[in-house]
Amino acid sequence: MTDLPALDPSRIFPTYVGSNELSPFHPCYANEQTILRLAAGRFFAHHNGDDPVAGYWALRKHAALYDVPERPVDISGPDAVPFLERLLARRIEDMNPDRGRYVLACTHQGGIFMDGIVFRLAEDRFWFVHPDGDLDTWLLAHNAGFDVAVRDPQSRVLQLQGPNSYRIMRDASSGAITKDLKYFHAGFFDLGGQRVYVSRTGWSGELGYEIYTQGDQTDCPRLWDHLMATGAPHGMVFSAMQSMNTRRIEAGILDSGSDFDSTMTPFEAGLERFIDLGKEDFIGRDALLAARGGTRLYGLRCDAAIPTGGDLVLDGNACVGTVTTGAHSPYLACGIGYVRFDSPGDWAGKTMTLQSSRLGEIACKITALPFYDHEKRLPRELPLD
């Protein structure tokens, strides 16, 4: 076996080659310290020379603007509803226009192929907004016999998140966005003279909005300047993804492909509430009906270490799980992360050993997800109990 030097990730992330998409917002914030990562075929700012802790507290106390790689796919036509009913494990036909719904697409074996949010823009037109993965090929592989058109609307996505996000969006829309735009509601609005699609959703566990550009019709630098100018009096900052990643872990929000993948069923990922087994003939239904219940994915708290993806979790001397992601939580003042157990079980509340790649063996506590705000009060603009 040839000995090869370990790859330095810092030498990989900044590289931009080929036809992958650089964000049209990139020139608005990029600097010599910007480090890019790739998801859904789009580069995004993993780090921008900013302090992730300062970005985190801006997100928690004021507001933060993020340039994210989510990719909407437009699905339209007379058979758009039955097509999506076939692909998705959650019912679609009862959605009203300008509403969003978190959904799962499963494999024929019952594993999670992908998650995302579906928006209904019209009776026969939807956007499936996905975080990463080969969604286009999956859609084309299953559209035989359906009268649908699948296209890329060339929409880039900004997330404005935090407790002041409503006031910023109200001001940015000249008062058109009101509190009538409820959680998972959406619609077209004018922001600084440009028509964009806005949803009250996000990946942070805080009150927040997502802003979808309209391809070549949107002047992205102009939109950016308008949002930054409107947000500044409300304490808004631009932040790279590290701060949002910490907050989404606290909120129990999972990342497709890392926290779960096609080897896990929705039951094992704790996502069974997003499956409608009463719906007939969706991909994976038969396998899910036959699947065993039980959760494999839990939270992990550690006072003496920050969990890192790939760290092992031991029960006594036996390895029983693997960390998928981790971070330091400024709010909880400890290391937190997710652990994927090898088998389902009632793991919450147990004290185990984290085999840290950095510090060796450290005691840790297993917990149910999320770490706090179990009722999702914050994104619904309700105070924590």
Side-chain angles (χ1 to χ4, degrees):
M1 183 175 180
T2 303
D3 291 330
L4 296 173
L7 292 175
D8 181 356
S10 68
R11 298 192 177 194
I12 299 172
F13 296 159
T15 303
Y16 176 67
V17 295
S19 59
N20 293 311
E21 296 180 19
L22 194 64
S23 170
F25 297 106
H26 179 81
C28 300
Y29 56 77
N31 57 57
E32 293 181 352
Q33 299 182 63
T34 302
I35 296 175
L36 301 178
R37 299 190 73 164
L38 184 68
R42 296 177 164 185
F43 285 104
F44 64 95
H46 170 73
H47 178 66
N48 203 52
D50 52 329
D51 179 0
V53 176
Y56 170 90
W57 284 119
L59 169 63
R60 294 299 318 277
K61 295 182 177 182
H62 305 291
L65 185 66
Y66 298 89
D67 181 15
V68 298
E70 300 168 52
R71 181 188 290 275
V73 174
D74 188 295
I75 301 161
S76 61
D79 290 340
V81 170
F83 179 54
L84 289 172
E85 293 286 16
R86 171 63 177 157
L87 263 69
L88 302 176
R90 194 172 182 186
R91 194 173 299 280
I92 296 299
E93 64 180 359
D94 59 349
M95 287 182 66
N96 292 322
D98 290 331
R99 297 291 187 272
R101 187 166 288 177
Y102 177 77
V103 296
L104 299 174
C106 294
T107 67
H108 293 275
Q109 293 75 35
I112 305 173
F113 171 69
M114 186 176 292
D115 70 343
I117 297 179
V118 166
F119 292 106
R120 190 168 199 165
L121 279 71
E123 287 300 317
D124 61 353
R125 185 186 178 202
F126 297 81
W127 275 9
F128 187 164
V129 184
H130 70 295
D132 199 6
D134 200 1
L135 177 62
D136 294 34
T137 302
W138 186 258
L139 296 176
L140 292 173
H142 291 93
N143 72 351
F146 293 97
D147 186 1
V148 293
V150 177
R151 68 179 186 90
D152 183 352
Q154 299 296 318
S155 175
R156 293 293 306 209
V157 188
L158 296 174
Q159 288 201 26
L160 174 56
Q161 305 285 300
N164 289 348
S165 59
Y166 164 68
R167 289 182 283 275
I168 297 169
M169 292 301 292
R170 178 198 61 199
D171 294 350
S173 65
S174 300
I177 293 177
T178 69
K179 292 192 176 182
D180 289 338
L181 191 69
K182 303 296 186 182
Y183 197 32
F184 273 82
H185 288 205
F188 283 98
F189 294 93
D190 183 297
L191 299 186
Q194 300 194 78
R195 185 173 181 264
V196 293
Y197 197 65
V198 176
S199 65
R200 190 172 152 187
T201 51
W203 206 58
S204 71
E206 297 286 335
L207 172 67
Y209 299 81
E210 293 186 271
I211 302 163
Y212 296 84
T213 69
Q214 300 298 297
D216 293 340
Q217 299 176 39
T218 304
D219 182 336
C220 291
R222 178 182 159 202
L223 174 62
W224 182 272
D225 290 344
H226 177 65
L227 291 171
M228 293 301 292
T230 307
H234 299 282
M236 187 190 81
V237 302
F238 166 69
S239 182
M241 284 296 290
Q242 286 178 300
S243 61
M244 183 185 282
N245 188 60
T246 298
R247 182 65 187 94
R248 71 95 181 174
I249 296 173
E250 292 177 348
I253 300 172
L254 307 182
D255 182 46
S256 177
S258 59
D259 300 322
F260 64 79
D261 55 30
S262 61
T263 68
M264 297 182 69
T265 68
F267 305 112
E268 293 174 323
L271 299 173
E272 62 273 8
R273 63 191 181 280
F274 301 111
I275 304 171
D276 185 356
L277 291 175
K279 189 178 79 164
E280 296 183 358
D281 199 33
F282 66 84
I283 294 174
R285 180 176 183 269
D286 291 343
L288 291 173
L289 286 171
R292 293 174 51 198
T295 303
R296 290 172 54 199
L297 198 62
Y298 285 84
L300 174 150
R301 294 183 59 155
C302 188
D303 292 330
I306 300 174
T308 301
D311 287 351
L312 302 180
V313 174
L314 310 179
D315 186 10
N317 294 322
C319 176
V320 293
T322 305
V323 173
T324 65
T325 189
H328 177 265
S329 166
Y331 178 74
L332 298 172
C334 65
I336 61 172
Y338 300 153
V339 53
R340 185 192 301 185
F341 285 95
D342 297 336
S343 59
D346 186 14
W347 300 103
K350 295 187 177 182
T351 299
M352 295 186 172
T353 300
L354 173 70
Q355 195 172 73
S356 169
S357 58
R358 301 171 181 172
L359 298 175
E361 295 188 352
I362 306 290
C364 64
K365 184 74 173 287
I366 308 303
T367 181
L369 294 173
F371 288 90
Y372 58 94
D373 193 15
H374 291 267
E375 298 177 352
K376 294 190 179 294
R377 296 177 64 84
L378 291 174
R380 293 186 290 126
E381 209 173 8
L382 298 173
L384 287 175
D385 292 337

